[in-house]
Amino acid sequence: MDLLTELTILVLAAFVGFEVISKVPNTLHTPLMSATNAIHGIVLLGGLLLIGEVDGFLNKLLLVIAIAFGTINIVGGFLVTDRMLEMFKRRD
Amino acid sequence: MYTASFLQDPDLIRVLYIAAFALFIYGLHELNHPRTARRGNRIAAVGMAIAVVATLLIEEVGNYGLIAVGVAIGTAVGIPAARSVKMTAMPQMVALFNGVGGGAVALISFVEYRRTLELGLGNPALEELIPILFAAIIGSVSFWGSNIAFGKLQEVLPGRPIQLPGQLFINFGLLAVAIGCSVALAAGTESQGLFIVILVAAALLGNMFVLPIGGADMPVVISLLNAFTGLSAAAAGIALDNVALIVAGMLVGASGSILTKQMADAMNRSIANIFAGGFGGVSVTPGAGADGEQKPVRSTDAADVAIQLAYASKVVVAPGYGMAVAQAQHTVRELADELEKRGIRVDYAIHPVAGRMPGHMNVLLAEADVPYDQLKEMDEINPEFPQTDVALVIGANDVTNPAARENEGSPIYGMPILDVDKANQVIVLKRSMNTGFAGIDNPLFYNENTALLFGDAKESVAAVLAQVKEL
């Protein structure tokens, strides 16, 4: 994909992000941060894309670490967010 | 030539990515209310699962054995950490997660650079090289910065600001080294060594820029590092031509930026000011006025407080980090329950920077079974203070300091505060007469309608609760 298309997507994604996230109330800012941590785990894809294409022990080792880091973000991030949000209850 | 199965069709993969973004954005949208937030988080998780599966389908992706190893290690670390972390330790957890995210980006950028060199193709084209370098620098800064933030929050490192002489000079020097080496690479030098120098300079910069920041500024730092990791992921997405990384990275970047701005506004400080030097590092002069003399304060006891509360019709609790430190939130909620049984309305006034990260106090109170409709944001609760009979300030200081509103000479002048002083009666639970984190005297304590209840927050609240029950 060419650079300008990618930049177009980048700018639009930034604005969508601003619009959606500015509506999250202060009350939920901690879960928001841990949820965005989880979404940041998307870097896992970078590791997946590269690991089949590299040779050498060091390259592979670094990518396995990167994949482990990305997985920690995804699994840990969504789980801990769920744990927090479960606690938010209405007055009964 | 073999024909790839339709599952490996690049168009299918792109369609799956589109589904993933839609789910991320919809999931984040559902975070706009506590009622729907849990579902939103799960929707985003489904989006992530789709993005990962789609990527695994890509024809060039291989080495599944090593992928499985990485995923297994990550899962083995991530699940127990997420299950066992205490809610008070959530800021550390988020800092750590931020750090590993930034670290992953830096590693991926480095390997991608090595790969193109090893292919004998020379440096990547500029439109790939620049985002790689950007991702490497920001990723490395946020990895090390987040680790320092973790160390401070976990109290492995001292929470006070640590400053070296010429700190700003050193930081700019490190940045100059990173940028200088990047320019050399962009100009055509092929060198893994230079790339390593860039990563190291960025690592040092990450350390140096978080070390001088004090504990009270942590909400801003964590938010900023969150924004950084997001931007680094988006840059890596451009380098690797992967749209999923670009979109998800920008969503995170937007979230972190919004939170950074809101936290800085809530402390009435510019982001530049926070990073130029720690709050505690600045020598704070006491607010203008005749502060030298000892002013009288009115101290009270649990029985009196119990009577005031029991005969009120509206009570607002203003909790600060001191309440969390004393682990008083459960006792506070029991007291609130007891008052509500008597038909008294109880709300909680939450300042945006109460706690050590954005929204932290709300999580701590939710954990203590405080219903979310009792958690009021500052702008919502402030107009209600004049109709409030008793404001109960527990472990909060600077965020209730009226000097921020009235005294132009005060270092916190202009900071938005909870207007607890406008309540009919104010009861401040305090350990001692020491000033707050910022070392600023609080005129609230000397007001006529203020009474101070000295002692450990948890014991004080328990004593008041016992007295209320007897009434």
Side-chain angles (χ1 to χ4, degrees):
Chain A
M1 203 183 308
D2 75 304
L3 182 63
L4 284 181
T5 313
E6 288 175 347
L7 288 177
T8 308
I9 293 169
L10 181 136
V11 171
L12 290 177
F15 276 91
V16 170
F18 272 109
E19 281 305 311
V20 171
I21 285 154
S22 55
K23 297 195 173 61
V24 176
N26 292 352
T27 317
L28 292 178
H29 276 168
T30 295
L32 170 68
M33 286 193 87
S34 65
T36 55
N37 263 336
I39 291 177
H40 185 270
I42 195 88
V43 293
L44 170 66
L45 306 195
L48 300 182
L49 288 168
L50 285 179
I51 201 161
E53 308 225 336
V54 295
D55 296 312
F57 176 75
L58 181 61
N59 283 342
K60 287 180 178 163
L61 175 70
L62 295 179
L63 286 178
V64 169
I65 297 174
I67 289 174
F69 278 179
T71 309
I72 291 177
N73 262 343
I74 295 177
V75 175
F78 282 122
L79 204 61
V80 84
T81 310
D82 191 64
R83 244 187 88 199
M84 273 189 272
L85 291 173
E86 189 188 2
M87 300 183 315
F88 283 85
K89 301 214 170 71
R90 280 184 72 81
R91 199 189 305 247
D92 23 50
Chain B
M1 285 302 286
Y2 81 106
T3 9
S5 94
F6 82 96
L7 282 176
Q8 293 182 323
D9 183 345
D11 283 346
L12 173 73
I13 286 152
R14 289 177 72 173
V15 168
L16 289 174
Y17 277 171
I18 294 170
F21 312 149
L23 292 173
F24 288 157
I25 292 167
Y26 183 58
L28 286 172
H29 174 263
E30 293 293 89
L31 279 180
N32 70 6
H33 198 283
R35 194 179 54 239
T36 53
R38 196 174 181 203
R39 189 162 55 103
N41 181 52
R42 290 177 169 187
I43 290 169
V46 172
M48 184 60 75
I50 292 175
V52 172
V53 169
T55 308
L56 288 173
L57 290 174
I58 294 175
E59 212 182 324
E60 292 81 14
V61 170
N63 232 331
Y64 292 103
L66 286 182
I67 291 178
V69 171
V71 170
I73 296 172
T75 312
V77 176
I79 290 185
R83 285 241 170 96
S84 61
V85 63
K86 290 202 175 76
M87 290 301 147
T88 39
M90 200 51 73
Q92 292 92 300
M93 181 79 165
V94 166
L96 211 54
F97 279 178
N98 240 325
V100 297
V105 172
L107 291 174
I108 288 166
S109 316
F110 183 45
V111 173
E112 172 66 3
Y113 184 71
R114 282 169 55 91
R115 185 181 75 96
T116 45
L117 286 191
E118 284 164 10
L119 288 173
L121 302 174
N123 274 338
L126 278 188
E127 62 176 66
E128 187 187 344
L129 182 62
I130 293 172
I132 286 181
L133 291 168
F134 182 84
I137 294 174
I138 303 287
S140 184
V141 166
S142 60
F143 177 71
W144 290 100
S146 301
N147 288 346
I148 297 291
F150 167 81
K152 285 186 170 240
L153 289 161
Q154 186 70 31
E155 290 169 11
V156 183
L157 294 171
R160 70 187 156 75
I162 302 168
Q163 262 174 318
L164 296 178
Q167 180 95 36
L168 264 183
F169 188 72
I170 298 173
N171 287 1
F172 278 114
L174 289 168
L175 189 64
V177 169
I179 293 177
C181 294
S182 301
V183 170
L185 289 179
T189 321
E190 288 171 34
S191 165
Q192 231 190 93
L194 275 184
F195 203 103
I196 293 175
V197 173
I198 292 172
L199 288 175
V200 172
L204 290 173
L205 182 60
N207 282 291
M208 300 289 289
F209 107 107
V210 179
L211 276 174
I213 294 170
D217 284 336
M218 276 301 152
V220 183
V221 179
I222 297 186
S223 308
L224 191 75
L225 290 167
N226 193 228
F228 277 4
T229 49
L231 295 178
S232 67
I238 292 186
L240 299 173
D241 272 334
N242 186 288
V243 188
L245 272 166
I246 299 176
V247 173
M250 284 318 281
L251 292 175
V252 178
S255 168
S257 310
I258 290 178
L259 292 176
T260 309
K261 169 102 177 43
Q262 288 191 0
M263 292 303 114
D265 284 353
M267 295 197 285
N268 189 40
R269 303 180 56 215
S270 73
I271 292 159
N273 174 284
I274 289 166
F275 290 99
F279 212 156
V282 185
S283 63
V284 174
T285 45
D291 275 350
E293 68 207 66
Q294 200 70 19
K295 280 176 290 184
V297 294
R298 187 158 60 91
S299 111
T300 181
D301 60 32
D304 262 1
V305 174
I307 290 169
Q308 278 181 305
L309 291 173
Y311 292 100
S313 59
K314 183 175 165 62
V315 172
V316 174
V317 179
Y321 192 64
M323 183 195 74
V325 172
Q327 285 292 321
Q329 53 270 41
H330 286 89
T331 324
V332 170
R333 200 257 311 146
E334 282 172 43
L335 175 63
D337 284 352
E338 189 63 33
L339 294 175
E340 290 199 306
K341 260 192 247 163
R342 294 158 188 259
I344 300 162
R345 187 182 161 85
V346 182
D347 284 313
Y348 295 80
I350 316 284
H351 192 275
V353 293
R356 281 292 177 270
M357 70 179 290
H360 191 198
M361 189 56 64
N362 298 288
V363 173
L364 295 174
L365 289 170
E367 189 192 19
D369 292 325
V370 174
Y372 63 74
D373 32 9
Q374 275 178 290
L375 305 172
K376 303 285 172 147
E377 293 182 12
M378 180 171 63
D379 294 338
E380 194 184 349
I381 197 78
N382 268 349
E384 294 183 22
F385 278 114
Q387 294 93 47
T388 300
D389 300 301
V390 182
L392 196 58
V393 180
I394 306 175
N397 187 348
D398 298 327
V399 298
T400 63
N401 190 338
R405 227 175 32 225
E406 292 149 6
N407 181 352
E408 285 186 43
S410 170
I412 57 166
Y413 180 72
M415 175 175 119
I417 56 158
L418 297 168
D419 294 332
V420 290
D421 57 315
K422 292 186 178 165
N424 211 346
Q425 292 290 322
V426 184
I427 295 160
V428 181
L429 272 61
K430 247 178 112 34
R431 186 170 278 282
S432 67
M433 270 315 283
N434 288 340
T435 48
F437 190 89
I440 303 160
D441 198 27
N442 191 344
L444 173 73
F445 302 151
Y446 313 108
N447 280 354
E448 266 178 28
N449 62 343
T450 303
L452 285 85
L453 181 57
F454 289 105
D456 172 77
K458 190 174 179 176
E459 287 165 18
S460 296
V461 176
V464 173
L465 174 61
Q467 293 284 344
V468 170
K469 279 182 175 163
E470 277 178 23
L471 284 171

